[in-house]
Amino acid sequence: MALPARPSPTPVLAAIDVGTNAVRLELARPDAEGSLETLHQERDPIRPGEGVFTTGEMPPETADRLLSTLRRYAALCRRHKAQVRAVATSALREARNQQDIVRRVHEEAGLELEVVSGKEEARLICLGVLHRKPANTRSLLVDIGGGSTEVAIATGEKPDELWSLSLGSVRLTEVFDTARAVTPKQLRLMRSFVEETLHKTLPEKLPALPRVALGSSGTIGAVVGFAAAENGGNATVRQLTQTVEALAKMPPERRRKRFDPRRADIIVSGAVILEGVARHLGVESVSVVNRGLRDGLLVDLLYRQDETREDHSLADAAIVMGQRFRFDEKHARQVARLSLALFDGLASLHQLPLSVRPHLEVAALLHDIGTAVSYERHHRHTYYLIHNADIPGLADREREIIARVARYHRRSPPELSHSGMAGLTPSEARRVRKLATLLRLANALDHSHHQPIRDFKVTDGREAVTLHLHARQPLDLELWNVEREVASFRKVFGKRLAIQVHSTGR
């Protein structure tokens, strides 16, 4: 009698956050209910952003401290055989020597350090704070970091709007030199600067918002804890204003007794930012939550493992971007639908992981946005626009792969020798070739932009792949363009391409 198979061990997930004030590591394991059990946490207050906002570079001694910390974190992750996502936020985003530091992290610590955009940071914070929130609950979230402040409006755990502001407690402290004493003039200037930045970044008219904002950072926790010592983790706007005044008047040595010494240096700036954001958003109070970016990284890793989970957030973000460039939405959606049908029907042929399916969908939705620049060579313009886009939910390398796939939707096929394939690893090049070939075929099937194909099915035979097309009108243009893709398809997938057309009428 065969013994029952042992269940595979639950993987350990690791989140590494290189912030402006500190570097943090959290190791966690998902349980049967989908919750995350923390196994280990570390925090090293090495202040990676110190000096970056005034000099534009991370000093060599700071970079060395960072590398030493990340080598230790990497060793812990290897010991637990953890799946890791390591991100850096505003300090490294703005450092001129960013690429050199990312390279060193890869070479010396063996970690892929991802410098995330402000919107992706906001999305991850939102995911961490609001994980498993009831689907119809509206939330307003604020997170004040050392270099930036993130604001999110969400329904359930899904963000509706995301903003990242160039306001942070370390940044403001360095710009206005308020680590020690704060004069009334400095306070006025700081408040004016915060107000001006808020008006420039946040829209004048916001939708109806919850009356209580959720504050998720250590700075907010310290400010609210001081402001509302009697009623716990909730402070009114009036209390925040009183706190700003009190902290600004407080001698530096008293601030250091009341707060952690490194927090004490930046607490006035943090309080000014929180007061300004709360007033601008029109909330009544701010409530502290003890979750944030690290939690979001862990939840994101958890979701990426679940191949049964449907997440339309990337497609939604792509459609919003497409609308900004006035794309042909009906054509884009049709090409995406056909691309995904090909991906699903040919899974045993292409043997790509299900995790790249959303990447094909984004490439299909955005393949024509380059026409907003010029129709001529619009595939190259599409590459440039996606490559430089801020699409929440995508790592930089994922966005690069998507940009390459979209770039190859027309003209030159994605041959390994083509200049547009330079810089890809062998596995990335194979992925781009396969996804781009599916996209080219899907695009050919709606070449007229009139969506003549009503129903579509693909079958994978021993020697040929057959497309079963149910058309509502003639397909002459589409079939002519599909024929142009036959040779490329056979070269990539090693099979003939056959077509069967069935007319269904209008």
Side-chain angles (χ1 to χ4, degrees):
M1 178 178 170
L3 293 172
R6 290 183 180 180
S8 57
T10 307
V12 174
L13 308 178
I16 297 175
D17 166 20
V18 178
T20 300
N21 292 313
V23 185
R24 300 170 179 84
L25 165 71
E26 183 166 347
L27 296 166
R29 179 182 281 121
D31 62 21
E33 284 73 43
S35 296
L36 289 161
E37 174 196 2
T38 300
L39 303 177
H40 183 75
Q41 286 184 334
E42 293 210 15
R43 180 182 186 274
D44 290 85
I46 62 171
R47 196 67 71 81
E50 198 163 43
V52 169
F53 304 117
T54 51
T55 68
E57 284 198 358
M58 181 180 289
E61 58 273 16
T62 305
D64 290 341
R65 291 199 306 268
L66 174 62
L67 264 295
S68 175
T69 302
L70 291 181
R71 281 195 295 268
R72 190 174 81 254
Y73 286 4
L76 283 166
C77 292
R78 285 192 295 270
R79 188 182 306 163
H80 286 84
K81 298 180 180 177
Q83 297 180 17
V84 186
R85 188 174 181 192
V87 303
T89 54
S90 60
L92 210 51
R93 272 201 298 269
E94 299 187 28
R96 286 194 297 268
N97 53 345
Q98 172 197 127
Q99 291 303 316
D100 181 57
I101 293 166
V102 169
R103 178 188 54 77
R104 285 188 62 193
V105 170
H106 174 71
E107 293 174 354
E108 299 178 33
L111 290 171
E112 298 298 331
L113 182 60
E114 178 188 343
V115 183
V116 293
S117 69
K119 280 195 175 182
E120 173 64 357
E121 183 181 355
R123 185 191 73 88
L124 290 167
I125 292 167
C126 197
L127 192 59
V129 173
L130 304 177
H131 179 46
R132 309 187 92 175
K133 201 83 166 174
N136 60 350
T137 304
R138 289 272 291 168
S139 302
L140 172 62
L141 176 65
V142 179
D143 184 282
I144 299 174
S148 64
T149 292
E150 278 62 51
V151 178
I153 302 171
T155 304
E157 63 178 35
K158 180 182 176 183
D160 299 315
E161 299 284 354
L162 298 168
W163 295 277
S164 183
L165 299 81
S166 296
L167 290 171
S169 51
V170 174
R171 183 195 299 270
L172 214 62
T173 299
E174 289 186 355
V175 169
F176 291 94
D177 192 23
T178 56
R180 298 186 180 278
V182 182
T183 67
K185 181 179 179 181
Q186 285 175 310
L187 183 58
R188 284 196 307 273
L189 290 172
M190 289 168 70
R191 279 174 157 161
S192 296
F193 180 81
V194 168
E195 185 178 357
E196 183 179 342
T197 303
L198 288 166
H199 278 291
K200 284 181 179 178
T201 310
L202 295 176
E204 288 296 322
K205 290 185 179 181
L206 289 165
L209 300 174
R211 306 313 300 166
V212 178
L214 303 176
S216 63
S217 65
T219 295
I220 292 178
V223 172
V224 171
F226 182 90
E230 295 181 1
N231 60 331
N234 197 295
T236 65
V237 175
R238 182 181 178 185
Q239 287 174 318
L240 292 176
T241 298
Q242 292 170 342
T243 294
V244 169
E245 303 287 348
L247 291 175
K249 292 176 181 175
M250 190 180 291
E253 54 274 14
R254 278 191 57 200
R255 290 207 302 268
R256 287 198 173 90
K257 288 180 180 178
R258 178 63 177 79
F259 303 99
D260 173 86
R262 282 185 170 259
R263 179 82 66 194
D265 292 344
I266 61 173
I267 194 70
V268 177
S269 294
V272 171
I273 295 169
L274 184 57
E275 175 203 24
V277 171
R279 286 190 177 280
H280 186 89
L281 295 174
V283 299
E284 292 175 358
S285 62
V286 178
S287 179
V288 176
V289 291
N290 296 316
R291 296 183 300 280
L293 179 60
R294 282 190 324 286
D295 304 271
L297 289 168
L298 292 170
V299 173
D300 191 60
L301 283 170
L302 181 66
Y303 284 170
R304 288 179 183 218
Q305 285 188 320
D306 185 0
E307 295 188 342
T308 65
R309 183 176 184 271
E310 287 195 31
D311 184 359
H312 302 289
S313 57
L314 271 181
D316 292 343
I319 288 169
V320 169
M321 181 178 175
Q323 290 169 341
R324 193 161 70 244
F325 290 99
R326 298 182 180 180
F327 73 152
D328 182 343
E329 187 167 342
K330 287 184 178 180
H331 172 66
R333 287 181 181 272
Q334 175 76 339
V335 172
R337 182 175 74 87
L338 296 172
S339 295
L340 295 180
L342 287 166
F343 183 93
D344 295 340
L346 300 176
S348 60
L349 180 62
H350 61 64
Q351 296 187 331
L352 292 170
L354 194 59
S355 59
V356 305
R357 187 179 187 270
H359 301 165
L360 174 61
E361 185 176 17
V362 172
L365 287 167
L366 297 178
H367 72 279
D368 271 346
I369 60 170
T371 57
V373 179
S374 170
Y375 183 80
E376 292 300 318
R377 299 183 177 182
H378 73 262
H379 51 298
R380 295 188 182 184
H381 301 313
T382 290
Y383 168 80
Y384 177 82
L385 293 173
I386 297 175
H387 173 78
N388 290 283
D390 186 357
I391 305 175
L394 290 176
D396 288 351
R397 202 61 192 166
E398 292 172 330
R399 192 175 66 250
E400 176 66 21
I401 298 298
I402 290 169
R404 305 266 187 138
V405 172
R407 179 252 182 272
Y408 281 109
H409 81 274
R410 69 192 289 265
R411 295 288 179 92
S412 302
E415 301 288 356
L416 294 175
S417 58
H418 194 267
S419 60
M421 299 289 281
L424 297 175
T425 66
S427 63
E428 289 173 340
R430 287 192 296 270
R431 182 171 298 182
V432 169
R433 290 189 78 211
K434 291 178 180 181
L435 293 180
T437 301
L438 298 180
L439 174 56
R440 291 171 75 93
L441 186 53
N443 188 48
L445 289 167
D446 195 45
H447 192 82
S448 66
H449 287 226
H450 291 153
Q451 297 78 58
I453 295 172
R454 175 176 289 176
D455 295 309
F456 175 85
K457 184 181 177 184
V458 57
T459 55
D460 182 13
R462 179 174 295 181
E463 295 182 356
V465 167
T466 304
L467 307 181
H468 304 270
L469 312 177
H470 294 263
R472 57 166 62 92
Q473 60 194 58
L475 292 176
D476 296 351
L477 186 59
E478 277 71 25
L479 294 176
W480 183 76
N481 278 278
V482 168
E483 284 297 325
R484 299 172 68 184
E485 299 301 328
V486 168
S488 177
F489 185 91
R490 186 162 193 165
K491 192 168 187 178
V492 172
F493 292 114
K495 289 191 177 183
R496 289 190 300 107
L497 194 61
I499 302 168
Q500 291 185 4
V501 180
H502 310 275
S503 179
T504 60
R506 290 183 180 274

